[in-house]
PDB file of all heavy atoms in Angstrom:
ATOM      1  N   GLN E  94     169.104 138.593 161.505  1.00 94.00           N
ATOM      2  CA  GLN E  94     169.375 140.052 162.019  1.00 94.00           C
ATOM      3  C   GLN E  94     170.171 140.859 161.070  1.00 94.00           C
ATOM      4  O   GLN E  94     170.057 141.991 160.880  1.00 94.00           O
ATOM      5  CB  GLN E  94     170.067 139.765 163.409  1.00 94.00           C
ATOM      6  CG  GLN E  94     170.236 141.079 164.263  1.00 94.00           C
ATOM      7  CD  GLN E  94     171.014 140.739 165.519  1.00 94.00           C
ATOM      8  OE1 GLN E  94     171.224 139.565 165.950  1.00 94.00           O
ATOM      9  NE2 GLN E  94     171.519 141.756 165.952  1.00 94.00           N
ATOM     10  N   SER E  95     171.290 140.207 160.540  1.00 93.00           N
ATOM     11  CA  SER E  95     172.232 140.929 159.582  1.00 93.00           C
ATOM     12  C   SER E  95     171.427 141.380 158.422  1.00 93.00           C
ATOM     13  O   SER E  95     171.705 142.535 157.890  1.00 93.00           O
ATOM     14  CB  SER E  95     173.343 139.990 159.339  1.00 93.00           C
ATOM     15  OG  SER E  95     174.111 140.559 158.232  1.00 93.00           O
ATOM     16  N   LEU E  96     170.531 140.486 157.897  1.00 92.00           N
ATOM     17  CA  LEU E  96     169.742 140.794 156.757  1.00 92.00           C
ATOM     18  C   LEU E  96     168.945 142.046 156.990  1.00 92.00           C
ATOM     19  O   LEU E  96     168.828 142.896 156.211  1.00 92.00           O
ATOM     20  CB  LEU E  96     168.731 139.620 156.443  1.00 92.00           C
ATOM     21  CG  LEU E  96     168.143 139.436 155.088  1.00 92.00           C
ATOM     22  CD1 LEU E  96     169.267 139.431 154.051  1.00 92.00           C
ATOM     23  CD2 LEU E  96     167.396 138.139 154.969  1.00 92.00           C
ATOM     24  N   VAL E  97     168.403 142.177 158.216  1.00 94.00           N
ATOM     25  CA  VAL E  97     167.576 143.334 158.630  1.00 94.00           C
ATOM     26  C   VAL E  97     168.309 144.506 158.693  1.00 94.00           C
ATOM     27  O   VAL E  97     168.061 145.637 158.082  1.00 94.00           O
ATOM     28  CB  VAL E  97     166.730 143.085 159.732  1.00 94.00           C
ATOM     29  CG1 VAL E  97     166.001 144.345 160.243  1.00 94.00           C
ATOM     30  CG2 VAL E  97     165.731 141.878 159.541  1.00 94.00           C
ATOM     31  N   GLU E  98     169.566 144.415 159.460  1.00 93.00           N
ATOM     32  CA  GLU E  98     170.343 145.630 159.748  1.00 93.00           C
ATOM     33  C   GLU E  98     171.034 146.221 158.602  1.00 93.00           C
ATOM     34  O   GLU E  98     171.244 147.358 158.414  1.00 93.00           O
ATOM     35  CB  GLU E  98     171.396 145.198 160.869  1.00 93.00           C
ATOM     36  CG  GLU E  98     170.666 145.302 162.308  1.00 93.00           C
ATOM     37  CD  GLU E  98     171.666 144.707 163.335  1.00 93.00           C
ATOM     38  OE1 GLU E  98     172.847 144.455 162.995  1.00 93.00           O
ATOM     39  OE2 GLU E  98     171.170 144.642 164.581  1.00 93.00           O
ATOM     40  N   ASP E  99     171.444 145.193 157.758  1.00 91.00           N
ATOM     41  CA  ASP E  99     172.173 145.705 156.463  1.00 91.00           C
ATOM     42  C   ASP E  99     171.352 145.762 155.280  1.00 91.00           C
ATOM     43  O   ASP E  99     171.891 145.907 154.177  1.00 91.00           O
ATOM     44  CB  ASP E  99     173.393 144.605 156.232  1.00 91.00           C
ATOM     45  CG  ASP E  99     174.353 144.627 157.307  1.00 91.00           C
ATOM     46  OD1 ASP E  99     174.334 145.537 158.230  1.00 91.00           O
ATOM     47  OD2 ASP E  99     175.144 143.500 157.364  1.00 91.00           O
ATOM     48  N   TRP E 100     170.058 145.807 155.493  1.00 92.00           N
ATOM     49  CA  TRP E 100     169.044 145.800 154.384  1.00 92.00           C
ATOM     50  C   TRP E 100     169.347 146.953 153.448  1.00 92.00           C
ATOM     51  O   TRP E 100     169.321 146.874 152.265  1.00 92.00           O
ATOM     52  CB  TRP E 100     167.684 145.925 154.847  1.00 92.00           C
ATOM     53  CG  TRP E 100     166.797 145.766 153.627  1.00 92.00           C
ATOM     54  CD1 TRP E 100     165.807 146.835 153.351  1.00 92.00           C
ATOM     55  CD2 TRP E 100     166.527 144.730 152.849  1.00 92.00           C
ATOM     56  NE1 TRP E 100     165.174 146.427 152.239  1.00 92.00           N
ATOM     57  CE2 TRP E 100     165.560 145.068 151.930  1.00 92.00           C
ATOM     58  CE3 TRP E 100     167.104 143.493 152.573  1.00 92.00           C
ATOM     59  CZ2 TRP E 100     165.087 144.474 150.741  1.00 92.00           C
ATOM     60  CZ3 TRP E 100     166.765 142.802 151.531  1.00 92.00           C
ATOM     61  CH2 TRP E 100     165.732 143.145 150.625  1.00 92.00           C
ATOM     62  N   GLY E 101     169.817 148.054 154.050  1.00 89.00           N
ATOM     63  CA  GLY E 101     170.051 149.314 153.184  1.00 89.00           C
ATOM     64  C   GLY E 101     171.095 148.969 152.132  1.00 89.00           C
ATOM     65  O   GLY E 101     170.848 149.159 150.819  1.00 89.00           O
ATOM     66  N   THR E 102     172.392 148.433 152.440  1.00 89.00           N
ATOM     67  CA  THR E 102     173.401 148.043 151.617  1.00 89.00           C
ATOM     68  C   THR E 102     173.074 146.893 150.716  1.00 89.00           C
ATOM     69  O   THR E 102     173.235 146.937 149.513  1.00 89.00           O
ATOM     70  CB  THR E 102     174.624 147.755 152.473  1.00 89.00           C
ATOM     71  OG1 THR E 102     174.567 148.159 153.733  1.00 89.00           O
ATOM     72  CG2 THR E 102     175.832 148.196 151.696  1.00 89.00           C
ATOM     73  N   LEU E 103     172.427 145.921 151.476  1.00 91.00           N
ATOM     74  CA  LEU E 103     172.084 144.637 150.694  1.00 91.00           C
ATOM     75  C   LEU E 103     171.142 144.913 149.585  1.00 91.00           C
ATOM     76  O   LEU E 103     171.270 144.288 148.469  1.00 91.00           O
ATOM     77  CB  LEU E 103     171.712 143.514 151.604  1.00 91.00           C
ATOM     78  CG  LEU E 103     172.784 143.008 152.575  1.00 91.00           C
ATOM     79  CD1 LEU E 103     172.259 142.004 153.592  1.00 91.00           C
ATOM     80  CD2 LEU E 103     173.920 142.234 151.636  1.00 91.00           C
TER      81      LEU E 103
END
Side-chain angles (χ1 to χ4, degrees):
Chain E
Q94 192 189 332
S95 167
L96 200 55
V97 173
E98 277 171 6
D99 297 345
W100 180 246
T102 339
L103 287 175

